[in-house]
Amino acid sequence: MVRPAPAREKTVNGLVLPDDAAPYSEQVLRLPCDNTRNETTFDSAVTIYQVFGCGGNLFGDTLVDLDKDFTPRPAAAASWSVADDGVTWTFRLREGMMWSDGTPVTAHDYVATFRLEATPEHGWDFSWFYTALGDGGIANWTRVVAGELPPEELGVRAIDELTLEIVTEGFFPPFPGAMKFGYVLQKRALEQHGPFYNNDPATSVSSGPYILDEFDPGNRIILVANPDYTGYRPARLARIEGIYMSPATYFIAFQTGEIDLVSDGALTPTDFISIDRDPVLRDNYLRHYGDFRTDYILFDTFNPPFDDLDVRKAFAFSVDREAIVRGVYGEIKAMPAHSMLMPGFPAADTEGTLAGFQHFDCGLARQHLAAAGFPGGDGFPGLEMWLRGEAPALAAVYQATAASIAQCLKIDLQVSNKDGKVFMDALNARPTRLQLGAVSYGMDFLDPANLLGAWVSTGRHSWKNEAFDQAVVGASRLLGNPDRRLQMFRDAERILVDDVGGVFIAHRWQGDLFKPHVLGDSFRQPDSNGVYGRHWGNDWFWGDVYIGKRE
Amino acid sequence: MADYIIRRLISLVFVLLAVSAIVFAMMHAVPGGPFDTQQGHLPPAARENILRKYGLDKPVWQQYLNYMSHALRFDFGIPYQQPQTTVAALIAKTWSVTLQVGVMTIIVAFGLGITAGKFAAYHQNSWIDNLVTFTATLGVTVPNFVVAMWFILFFGVARQWLPVGGWGVSHCLFGSWFCTDWILPVAAYALAPMAVVARYTRSSIVDVIREDYVRTARAKGLAESLVMKRHVLRNAQIPMVTALGTEIPNLITGSIFIETTFRINGLGKFFVTSTLHRDYPMIMATFLLVALLWGVTYMLTDIAYTMIDPRVRLGARGEGHG
């Protein structure tokens, strides 16, 4: 007698679980929450740098999401278009989206959120973003943030309940990608309870795939699937449990089975050795681009000794990147960098042609130092390279970098790991108080205008090159010719490495260690470059991930 | 005694005022502010808005006066790390946990430390003495976060005998009278103070044992247990109280290493994170709390002297200890 196959279980949203899924009652994902970070909110619209690392941004859908190749895909906005003027963008919201209190999600909610972000009194810590976008910035953003115009003058308005219009300052073709940051808070809850309404289950209201069930800061966060969710990423999970702990104990908690996922930032070099030795762990550590982060050295090029290009070139040719990646990072965590843009990022130098400008050649490095008037390092001033409060693993990388430079050039170069705020205070001072430092930078959105824009002379680096500025600004504004645009960015990056705005050390691979029973195409399937893992900005992960049957 | 306590409490108020002024000045003198981000892109206008919102746009002296006027009414402000609560509420919530950890640690550390110290002193140069000395040296020299990781790896990961995180959230027995997740944090936290207690206890007793009045008591035929109780332990207590009293404020204000390693939501971590994040209200509150605890501890230590040795007169000028 043939027994009928058991009926596949459904989620609270009526979604049928995959064949290999565990019963719905076991669809629980346990995550570590960092108990050493300064985190204050679930919503990036309130503060982006203090948002909860576990459970953040799950109570609403951004206008746009990204696919595995970082191409914008519909999220809360079902579609979008730009008018003939090139600056008026229309986002059509998905029909039927609801808040967990039974009210509909409307364009007015998005307008209220954008206005909150720009409100001077709110002091949003990401408000620099729409200013830094230049032409891609929302119209009047900078003046509203400065208090010169009321928030109502912002270039965002609701045409009707489901149509949102956003006007930008100028032409900016990649603007839909920037709407990855098009967050939503409920207008009514904002008015009644203020921006932290989601920190209390009694006032929390969600239009995202999960709702807040329990929140005990410092102890645990419990989210459950939102039964009223009608958006693009309905949860397969029944529940997410966030357990507060120190990153130093994440791997231990993972090994004892208390959590299902650890990101690379909490894994030490010793942990990576354990992962490498264990085939199950190795197969379940899924490496990805992360935010295309690059570690590099920066200079004050307006003052001696780094106002001399030969000195900068001497530094650029004295870093043994391959040895540092092999011996300090480990090849699972980084690849040698010869430029700012990591291969895989648009306009990146995938052919490696820029390596000619920055690579390890100690003989050439010494020639440049001699040309600068310091043969054999004689007479070169002793220097201190500052770090931005780095954890031991990354501090070791920069120590190795400094050692490579000092050994090759025979100069006195010390490393000082400063408090993060002290470092940033010195870096941002004008004129800068940071003569020499090492730091990392990752993208905010997938366009060279972001990562190369950070090097424009109005940015934080004390380096200026007119040709570079013109190329980056010109490319950022270029509409209708994507190939030409990317070539302009490539030209700009060549100027950056040739003029040694910075010395690029390594591009960091990031990754997550999953339990084998944590499944989902969003991270178990590769992108078009064959890279697996949970890609940056792929918020659809939270609807895709599920718990598989255990062996 | 009452006059003495009143005088000490008044002087404590001045100490707290001095501490508050020094800490306030120092934390504002350090580069970087609470709302400077790692990205450092905050536009001047946005930065000014935030500073205005938290009253940080005013001169430092004015901020200090504002702070103190509120603090005198027990309003210690809003912690920047958890703006949905108040400093007082956050401290009340987290310190209660830290106090539990601290009190248990004191009981374990002092109970075992004094016992071990006594044994070592009674059996000088024996294997017991050597063992106590070795353990005490280990306890003092190995940091508690290293001990914590050893315990976790052995008892949690390798043997899986004990839970490695949380505080009273799981594995509780007899209602909530005993939870197995207390064992590792208290053991790791207690090791160092236990070592200190054992060493001080041993050296104090050894010093007294050699005194003439102890030898005289023995010569008079007094039983050894009475010699120890009446003459040795009683006289050994004053240096012990002096040395050990200062351990208590440390233990009841928590340890960031123990709390973060064992996932205890206590006050200890805020001593460090508040400074790192330039959380001014929490920095002030935690420093004032520590100053208050130290002041009270010293006062109680002095009072304890009079109870141990009636010859000690509190507040008397020009008098020695007899």
Side-chain angles (χ1 to χ4, degrees), chain B:
Chain B
M1 176 73 85
D3 287 349
Y4 172 79
I5 292 173
I6 289 167
R7 281 204 306 276
R8 286 293 294 264
L9 289 175
I10 290 170
S11 73
L12 184 56
V13 170
F14 286 102
V15 168
L16 291 177
L17 281 172
V19 167
S20 68
I22 292 167
V23 171
F24 203 91
M26 285 177 70
M27 70 186 187
H28 279 86
V30 176
F35 304 105
D36 296 339
T37 68
Q38 289 282 298
Q39 281 61 29
H41 281 293
L42 207 59
R47 191 167 186 275
E48 283 167 21
N49 292 330
I50 296 180
L51 295 182
R52 195 178 310 119
K53 181 175 170 181
Y54 288 93
L56 299 171
D57 57 331
K58 297 182 172 61
V60 174
W61 65 266
Q62 200 174 336
Q63 289 181 47
Y64 176 69
L65 292 181
N66 285 344
Y67 177 83
M68 291 308 292
S69 70
H70 285 88
L72 290 172
R73 286 171 273 156
F74 298 100
D75 172 7
F76 297 97
I78 303 290
Y80 304 153
Q81 297 168 86
Q82 292 189 23
Q84 68 276 21
T85 185
T86 63
V87 168
L90 185 58
I91 287 181
K93 180 184 170 190
T94 55
W95 196 30
S96 63
V97 177
T98 295
L99 271 176
Q100 290 176 39
V101 182
V103 168
M104 285 185 207
T105 302
I106 288 167
I107 292 168
V108 171
F110 280 58
L112 293 181
I114 289 171
T115 306
K118 274 201 272 186
F119 267 101
Y122 294 165
H123 305 282
Q124 275 181 74
N125 303 320
S126 67
W127 68 270
I128 295 175
D129 189 14
N130 291 337
L131 180 67
V132 170
T133 304
F134 173 77
T135 310
T137 307
L138 197 70
V140 170
T141 51
V142 181
N144 59 20
F145 57 88
V146 176
V147 174
M149 294 309 280
W150 286 349
F151 283 0
I152 287 175
L153 288 172
F154 184 76
F155 295 107
V157 178
R159 300 288 172 188
Q160 302 199 346
W161 288 340
L162 291 168
V164 298
W167 183 260
V169 292
S170 60
H171 312 285
C172 289
L173 310 169
F174 316 117
S176 290
W177 283 100
F178 178 76
C179 297
T180 51
D181 57 14
W182 295 349
I183 296 174
L184 290 186
V186 169
Y189 199 17
L191 193 58
M194 186 173 72
V196 172
V197 171
R199 286 178 65 230
Y200 269 104
T201 304
R202 179 190 178 280
S203 62
S204 297
I205 292 175
V206 166
D207 285 347
V208 175
I209 274 176
R210 293 171 182 155
E211 292 289 342
D212 289 342
Y213 57 84
V214 174
R215 199 174 301 120
T216 306
R218 282 184 177 138
K220 285 165 62 181
L222 204 61
E224 186 62 20
S225 60
L226 288 178
V227 173
M228 284 296 166
K229 188 177 171 188
R230 290 184 188 168
H231 297 284
V232 177
L233 288 181
R234 193 177 183 90
N235 286 294
Q237 278 176 350
I238 282 201
M240 282 165 58
V241 166
T242 306
L244 307 185
T246 55
E247 288 286 325
I248 293 175
N250 285 335
L251 293 174
I252 60 174
T253 46
S255 157
I256 182 172
F257 300 117
I258 294 297
E259 291 182 1
T260 54
T261 304
F262 290 106
R263 310 199 312 247
I264 299 169
N265 188 26
L267 181 64
K269 72 172 183 181
F270 288 103
F271 287 93
V272 178
T273 59
S274 301
T275 308
L276 288 176
H277 303 315
R278 309 290 194 273
D279 187 345
Y280 295 150
M282 274 303 281
I283 293 174
M284 288 299 292
T286 49
F287 269 85
L288 287 174
L289 179 66
V290 168
L292 179 68
L293 286 174
W294 277 97
V296 171
T297 302
Y298 275 120
M299 187 176 74
L300 294 178
T301 304
D302 289 348
I303 292 170
Y305 290 155
T306 65
M307 298 165 76
I308 295 166
D309 184 350
R311 293 169 299 176
V312 176
R313 295 285 178 271
L314 293 175
R317 294 173 192 277
E319 292 181 27
H321 285 182

Side-chain angles (χ1 to χ4, degrees), chain A residues 73-384:
Chain A
R73 56 173 273 182
S79 63
W80 53 85
S81 60
V82 62
D84 291 341
D85 63 6
V87 297
T88 306
W89 294 83
T90 303
F91 291 85
R92 179 73 184 169
L93 299 186
R94 193 178 293 268
E95 289 186 19
M97 290 194 298
M98 302 293 289
W99 291 101
S100 53
D101 63 0
T103 59
V105 176
T106 71
H108 299 287
D109 293 315
Y110 284 88
V111 172
T113 307
F114 276 109
R115 288 180 180 171
L116 171 78
E117 291 166 352
T119 300
E121 289 71 27
H122 179 52
W124 193 40
D125 54 7
F126 199 56
S127 62
W128 62 269
F129 177 69
Y130 293 113
T131 301
L133 281 184
D135 288 338
I138 296 171
N140 291 335
W141 179 273
T142 304
R143 296 182 66 194
V144 173
V145 169
E148 295 166 12
L149 289 174
E152 292 72 27
E153 293 293 317
L154 198 62
V156 180
R157 67 184 180 119
I159 302 297
D160 58 41
E161 296 294 295
L162 293 178
T163 310
L164 182 71
E165 182 187 272
I166 302 178
V167 179
T168 56
E169 293 282 2
F171 295 131
F172 193 70
F175 184 73
M179 286 302 96
K180 178 74 202 68
F181 299 103
Y183 302 109
V184 66
L185 295 168
Q186 193 194 48
K187 183 171 185 281
R188 190 171 71 174
L190 270 177
E191 290 165 354
Q192 287 182 348
H193 306 292
F196 288 98
Y197 69 80
N198 270 329
N199 282 12
D200 182 350
T203 54
S204 177
V205 59
S206 169
S207 62
Y210 298 90
I211 54 179
L212 182 64
D213 188 53
E214 183 186 332
F215 178 40
D216 183 2
N219 279 327
R220 64 183 196 158
I221 294 170
I222 305 292
L223 310 181
V224 295
N226 180 357
D228 301 318
Y229 183 69
T230 55
Y232 76 105
R233 47 174 184 163
R236 288 164 157 173
L237 297 172
R239 181 178 168 94
I240 295 174
E241 295 182 1
I243 309 163
Y244 277 87
M245 57 182 77
S246 162
T249 63
Y250 284 8
F251 189 54
I252 288 169
F254 183 87
Q255 289 173 302
T256 56
E258 292 177 271
I259 55 173
D260 297 314
L261 164 63
V262 182
S263 293
D264 66 295
L267 294 167
T268 66
T270 315
D271 297 337
F272 274 106
I273 292 171
S274 302
I275 291 167
D276 196 44
R277 285 178 180 162
D278 184 327
V280 175
L281 293 180
R282 192 169 58 233
D283 290 348
N284 285 280
Y285 180 75
L286 301 180
R287 197 172 74 161
H288 58 77
Y289 301 112
D291 58 355
F292 292 90
R293 187 159 291 268
T294 297
D295 296 326
Y296 60 91
I297 294 173
L298 51 83
F299 313 105
D300 173 7
T301 69
F302 301 141
N303 290 291
F306 296 113
D307 58 346
D308 187 328
L309 179 59
D310 273 313
V311 172
R312 301 203 297 273
K313 280 190 178 288
F315 273 57
F317 286 117
S318 62
V319 177
D320 190 348
R321 298 160 177 82
E322 282 72 16
I324 292 168
V325 165
R326 203 169 46 244
V328 189
Y329 284 102
E331 287 171 346
I332 198 169
K333 292 190 80 175
M335 67 169 83
H338 308 282
S339 57
M340 183 69 184
L341 304 181
M342 182 176 182
F345 196 84
D349 171 41
T350 47
E351 301 82 15
T353 54
L354 297 181
F357 297 100
Q358 294 202 8
H359 62 273
F360 181 56
D361 183 339
C362 192
L364 191 55
R366 287 174 180 164
Q367 285 177 30
H368 278 291
L369 196 64
F374 306 104
D378 291 343
F380 194 79
L383 295 173
E384 191 174 73

Side-chain angles (χ1 to χ4, degrees), chain A residues 489-512:
Chain A
F489 281 123
R490 287 194 187 99
D491 293 344
E493 193 181 26
R494 187 188 55 74
I495 295 169
L496 172 65
V497 295
D498 187 21
D499 197 42
V500 197
V503 173
F504 301 97
I505 304 166
H507 303 300
R508 257 191 262 166
W509 285 110
Q510 295 174 40
D512 300 297

